[in-house]
Structure formats: structure tokens, C-alpha cells
Amino acid sequence: MARWPLILGAMVAAIGSGWYVTRPAPLADNALDGLTPDAARGAVTFAAAGCASCHTSEAGPDTLLTGGKRFASPFGTFVAPNISSDQVHGVGGWSDLELASAIVAGVSQDGSHLYPAFPYTSYNKADMQDVVDLIAHMRTLPASDAPSPPHEIGFPFNLRAALGPWKALFVSEQWVLTTAETDVLERGRYLVEALGHCAECHTPRGALGGLQRDQWMAGAPNPSGEGRIPNITPAALQWSERDIAEYLKSGFTPDFDSAGGEMVAVIKNTSQLTDADRAAIAAYLKAIPAIANP
């Protein structure tokens, strides 16, 4: 019996140490020092990052970031929040540093972990200049006074403290395509792996929701339970780089079919990029490892 206090003490110490190591870690106070925001450049980042695809309602314009879109998952249904410039219901009252911490570190204004339904797991590789430009652009968009609906998730997934260990296990700032031998490939890697967060849909996840990086872009079950998101590695996507770039611009496939489902919103975003950026994305998709589905 005399050993139990020691055992309990060790358990409490271990839990406390684990919490300390995995506590929310916002950006350093000087993270944005020396950066001058450019809202015009931020509009391009806004499109590349697909912000409107998740944070606008079906009935509203792409500039009204009122939130409300629902994302089904094995852990419950996540609901995109209002990120408009409204001071109360949006993020208009957040500082640039607080917004940047949410975008790249997954930490909310109140210091809590954000759920990775928001793809900070990809945005964490974004250039900080692009982040401040994006924030500057968002501040030019109209405010919405619509309250953010709550997520519909139950125990234990509603315990945000558990996201600390999850981040430690699954969030990485390392590139999957480790070598980008040309400027074009480097740009394509940045657009796909960071801003475009394409892997968040096109890569399968493990039981705890982490991306299976060894199956990068090899396709995944649709979280809604309807169909499958396709394999877009060279093993399955036989289009030429020119075909891919044209699809990202017009939404038309080489067979003159057109984009459907969630890709409609994606094409709406990629069509706003330059021809050079779309070509870079295409080059990246032809350079990643070919992974055949079983």
C-alpha cells in the first residue's frame, strides 16, 4: 500500500508533463515582425488556399465568410465557423498574430487547440508573408453577424486537450516531395502541399485521423460516406501536364467531361491562379511517387 502514493504521483507527473509538452503553442510575439501586408497579393493566396470553399454558405457570395458548411467525419460533424471581419461573431476582433497562429499553428484566440478539420496541418508550411497578405485581404471583406454553429461531436473527441498529443503524432512541417529540383516543382509543391492542402482530401487517413503519408495522393474514402476521392498519383492519373493545367483552369477533362462535386469549388479557386501556377501544380502531380490502389 505504501507504494500507491508513489505510483499515483508518478502518473500525475506523467500526465502533467504530457500536457505541458503538447499544450497549445501560438506563434512567437515577433513572428510577424518586418512583414508588410499586401491585400492584393492576399487575394491570390485566398484563392490558392480555398478559404471561400469552406467558409461561405451556398446561398452567399464568395466574399461573405459567414461559415456554416458541414463536414462529416468518423469523429462527428465539424461546422466551418464565421471568419468574416465581424468584430463579435467573426474574427474582426482578432489581431494579425492571433489569426496567423490559428492558420499555421492551429491555436485559437482563446489559446485552445483548433480541430484539424481546419487544415493548419498543411498551412503550417505556408510562407509567413503569404499569411499576413491573406489576413490583410480577409480584412477587406464584408462582415457577417451570423453566429458560428457549434461542432456536432461527442465524447471523447470534444476534448480539445487531446488534440495536443494528436498534433505531436501527426502534424509535420516536412515536405512529402523532399526534393524539388526546379523552381517550377518547388512552386508546385508549395501550392499543393501547403496552400492548396490537396492531400487533406486525396490522401487516406489512419484510425486516429492522421494522413497516411506513405499513401500520398493515392485516393481516400469520401468522409460523407458517398463514393471515393480519386487517386491522383501518376499511377492512376494518366493526363499530361497540359491536361491537368487545363482542367484546373476550365474544369474540363481531356474527354470533355466537366468537374463535379467538391472539385467545382476547387476549380473556381484554381481558375484564379496564373497559368504558371497551374502548370506548377501539374508538374508536381507528375513528380510524386506513383501509388497503385490495391
Side-chain angles (χ1 to χ4, degrees):
M1 292 297 293
R3 293 197 301 268
W4 279 112
L6 294 176
I7 294 172
L8 291 175
M11 291 175 62
V12 169
I15 293 170
S17 298
W19 176 88
Y20 182 80
V21 170
T22 62
R23 71 194 188 283
L27 294 176
D29 291 344
N30 63 352
L32 308 185
D33 287 0
L35 300 176
T36 302
D38 184 328
R41 288 187 73 252
V44 177
T45 305
F46 182 84
C51 306
S53 299
C54 292
H55 290 280
T56 57
S57 68
E58 294 182 1
D62 287 350
T63 56
L64 191 60
L65 303 175
T66 190
K69 188 171 182 178
R70 298 164 60 84
F71 299 89
S73 82
F75 311 102
T77 298
F78 298 92
V79 186
N82 180 338
I83 59 167
S84 77
S85 55
D86 187 85
Q87 294 283 322
V88 176
H89 297 290
V91 295
W94 294 33
S95 70
D96 286 0
L97 184 62
E98 288 169 340
L99 279 169
S101 287
I103 292 167
V104 303
V107 179
S108 186
Q109 184 190 41
D110 64 6
S112 62
H113 289 297
L114 292 172
Y115 288 106
F118 175 54
Y120 56 80
T121 49
S122 294
Y123 294 158
N124 66 350
K125 291 177 280 295
D127 182 81
M128 201 57 68
Q129 181 64 58
D130 281 341
V131 173
V132 297
D133 291 345
L134 170 63
I135 293 168
H137 172 69
M138 289 172 59
R139 295 199 187 283
T140 70
L141 303 180
S144 167
D145 61 1
S148 295
H151 299 307
E152 298 171 8
I153 49 179
F155 182 84
F157 306 116
N158 59 350
L159 300 177
R160 289 182 184 264
L163 289 169
W166 188 93
K167 286 181 177 180
L169 287 171
F170 299 115
V171 178
S172 172
E173 295 183 5
Q174 302 301 312
W175 300 106
V176 173
L177 186 66
T178 56
T179 302
E181 298 174 348
T182 66
D183 291 344
V184 171
L185 268 181
E186 186 174 0
R187 178 63 176 170
R189 179 178 68 178
Y190 179 67
L191 289 169
V192 174
E193 293 194 25
L195 295 185
H197 59 278
C198 306
E200 301 288 341
C201 288
H202 285 278
T203 298
R205 296 176 182 273
L208 295 178
L211 291 177
Q212 296 179 305
R213 290 163 68 94
D214 62 339
Q215 295 290 307
W216 194 252
M217 299 293 197
N222 192 321
S224 69
E226 299 177 2
R228 183 175 176 84
I229 297 168
N231 181 337
I232 56 173
T233 74
L237 186 62
Q238 302 297 317
W239 301 352
S240 68
E241 291 184 26
R242 183 177 178 179
D243 291 337
I244 296 171
E246 176 58 34
Y247 177 71
L248 296 174
K249 181 177 182 179
S250 67
F252 286 105
T253 72
D255 299 325
F256 300 102
D257 197 359
S258 58
E262 296 296 331
M263 279 304 298
V264 173
V266 174
I267 300 299
K268 193 171 185 179
N269 296 325
T270 55
S271 66
Q272 300 176 58
L273 304 180
T274 64
D275 288 340
D277 276 350
R278 287 187 289 269
I281 294 172
Y284 171 88
L285 291 177
K286 302 300 284 188
I288 59 177
I291 301 174
N293 293 129

